[in-house]
């Protein structure tokens, strides 16, 4: 389906967050509060760590646990360390990182449950999307931020929740699966730092 065909819903909560964001940008508000948007440098980094930790706790409790994330770069050390801990707990993690990735996947006892691929096709896309299983009630986000210190702490960046059912279904069951099955443009990152083309 064409994305533009999905119905949209107004959300006063989201628009209130957006107003707080613009008040922050203009200097009108110095202590912004955000209920639904994850905004750097205020709430994004901490909330992301909480969501990774929740998946880790769920895996340790024997519950389904899954993380899928698509971005340009993955550099932030705390985020990488928490992903390693999640992998060790049994969380299944698939990362689509187009550019720089400082995480090392596939290391036994450390990151064996993490898979990383880079997809560079004809068009240079910059989409960022994030999926957390959350005990069968997935948290799905999209937005502007890569997982890098400059994005978390030195810029205004916004990640917003995807709440509309058709869009949530498209991200979780079409976009991510299609890119994780790509065998034309995808290259997989290995523990030795090498990228190799996915077998066609």
């Amino acid at each position: 389906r064409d994305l533009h065909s999905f119905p949209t819903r107004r959300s006063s909560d989201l628009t209130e967050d957006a107003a707080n964001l613009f008040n922050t940008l203009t200097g009108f508000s110095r202590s912004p509060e955000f209920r639904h948007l994850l905004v750097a440098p205020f709430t994004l980094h901490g909330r992301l760590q909480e969501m990774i930790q929740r998946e880790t706790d769920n895996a340790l409790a024997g519950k389904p646990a899954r993380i899928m994330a698509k971005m340009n770069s993955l550099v932030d050390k705390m985020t990488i360390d928490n992903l390693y801990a999640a992998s060790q707990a049994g969380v299944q993690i698939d990362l689509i990182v187009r550019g720089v990735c400082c995480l090392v996947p596939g290391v036994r006892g450390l990151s064996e449950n993490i898979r990383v691929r880079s997809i560079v096709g004809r068009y240079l896309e910059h989409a960022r999307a994030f999926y957390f299983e959350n005990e069968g009630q997935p948290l799905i986000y999209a937005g502007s931020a890569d997982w890098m210190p400059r994005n978390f702490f030195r810029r205004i960046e916004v990640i917003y929740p995807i709440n509309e059912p058709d869009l949530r279904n498209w991200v979780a069951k079409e976009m991510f699966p299609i890119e994780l099955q790509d065998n034309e443009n995808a290259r997989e990152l290995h523990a030795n730092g090498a990228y190799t083309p996915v077998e066609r």
Side-chain angles (χ1 to χ4, degrees), residues 39-40 42-50 76 78-79 152-153:
V39 181
F42 306 105
T43 60
L44 175 56
H45 187 261
R47 182 75 177 114
L48 175 63
Q49 309 315 312
E50 290 173 6
D76 184 64
M78 180 181 290
T79 303
F152 287 139
F153 306 115

Side-chain angles (χ1 to χ4, degrees), residues 80-168:
I80 291 171
D81 287 343
N82 287 334
L83 289 171
Y84 286 151
S87 171
Q88 292 171 56
V91 181
Q92 297 300 311
I93 303 171
D94 279 292
L95 305 174
I96 303 166
V97 185
R98 184 179 60 98
V100 177
C101 181
C102 294
L103 180 146
V104 181
V107 177
R108 187 172 182 179
L110 177 70
S111 57
E112 57 194 306
N113 290 314
I114 304 178
R115 293 156 296 280
V116 178
R117 56 172 39 202
S118 172
I119 300 176
V120 180
R122 179 178 179 185
Y123 302 105
L124 191 61
E125 61 169 306
H126 291 270
R128 286 105 169 164
F130 314 101
Y131 174 100
F132 300 87
E133 181 64 34
N134 192 39
E135 294 189 64
Q137 310 239 339
L139 301 174
I140 304 175
Y141 291 86
S144 64
D146 290 318
W147 290 358
M148 305 176 70
R150 72 182 186 191
N151 299 88
F152 287 139
F153 306 115
R154 298 196 294 274
R155 294 180 177 177
I156 298 288
E157 302 269 7
V158 179
I159 299 295
Y160 58 90
I162 298 177
N163 297 322
E164 205 286 319
D166 279 343
L167 282 173
R168 288 171 58 83

Side-chain angles (χ1 to χ4, degrees), residues 10-78:
R10 282 180 172 256
S11 169
S12 59
D13 291 334
L14 285 176
T15 54
E16 184 177 336
D17 273 6
N20 288 337
L21 173 63
F22 280 99
N23 285 337
T24 301
L25 291 171
T26 60
F28 185 75
S29 172
R30 294 181 181 271
S31 300
E33 293 184 6
F34 303 102
R35 297 176 58 194
H36 300 281
L37 297 179
L38 307 183
V39 181
F42 306 105
T43 60
L44 175 56
H45 187 261
R47 182 75 177 114
L48 175 63
Q49 309 315 312
E50 290 173 6
M51 290 189 286
I52 296 172
Q53 184 62 50
R54 179 181 296 144
E55 295 304 310
T56 303
D57 294 341
N58 288 340
L60 291 171
K63 300 174 182 178
R66 181 98 162 92
I67 296 172
M68 295 185 288
K70 173 181 170 65
M71 68 199 83
N72 283 353
S73 300
L74 172 54
V75 175
D76 184 64
K77 184 179 186 303
M78 180 181 290

